[in-house]
Amino acid sequence: MSCGLAVAALLMMGDPNVVLAVAQPPAVAGAPVSVADEPFFADLATRATGLKSIVDGWSASGAADQAGFFDSPVYAAFKAQAGDLAARDMQGHVILRDRGTDGDLKCILRGISEDMPTRVAAVEAATTPAERAVALAELSHLLEDNAAVILAPPQT
């Protein structure tokens, strides 16, 4: 079983919002799609916004530049939540793909899912405060985009 399928199966068993999202009717060809009011996708936006607030707080306080920061339970929890969000974004991609949605959102969610671990790793790999500031800003923008693409009104 591929990792993607295993993650999808795990999320479907543990989150009733996934089951609700999967149960939505197939997309109508050419019709704009908005998922902002669906619990699963609204939860993605909420999670992304929350993680963005954390990253922005680290940027403002310089917390990520402190010795031992990446070994702290706070950072470990953040990293786990970011990984979970990435997996859920991929599940969102799969849900939209399986509905037959012909739009950018499914592709954007996949891209965000694939980019999230890279952005988190870039924060960890930064060797100077200036590099870390850039990496944190890029991670913050990714999380902002994660919420914005879900909440944006559909384009006709």
Side-chain angles (χ1 to χ4, degrees), residues 8 11 15 29 39 65 72 87 96 110 130 148 152:
L11 287 172
D15 187 347
D65 295 325
S72 71
L96 293 175
R110 180 180 180 151

Side-chain angles (χ1 to χ4, degrees), residues 4-137:
L5 290 175
V7 168
L10 179 64
L11 287 172
M12 287 182 72
M13 290 186 299
D15 187 347
N17 291 328
V18 173
V19 175
L20 289 172
V22 170
Q24 296 298 314
V28 176
V33 176
S34 176
V35 296
D37 293 330
E38 293 181 31
F40 175 79
F41 292 97
D43 181 60
L44 289 178
T46 299
R47 288 170 188 259
T49 301
L51 292 176
K52 179 187 181 327
S53 294
I54 292 169
V55 169
D56 291 346
W58 294 340
S59 292
S61 69
D65 295 325
Q66 302 303 313
F69 175 78
F70 295 107
D71 297 323
S72 71
V74 169
Y75 182 73
F78 169 83
K79 189 172 179 178
Q81 290 172 14
D84 183 56
L85 177 60
R88 289 172 184 272
D89 282 331
M90 183 57 79
Q91 181 63 34
H93 160 79
V94 170
I95 289 166
L96 293 175
R97 182 199 66 204
D98 290 352
R99 284 185 195 170
T101 301
D102 185 25
D104 293 335
L105 181 58
K106 74 175 185 269
C107 295
I108 293 169
L109 288 176
R110 180 180 180 151
I112 289 172
S113 172
E114 293 170 348
D115 200 23
M116 187 80 61
T118 303
R119 299 291 181 177
V120 171
V123 172
E124 293 174 6
T127 57
T128 67
E131 288 176 1
R132 193 163 296 109
V134 169
L136 285 168

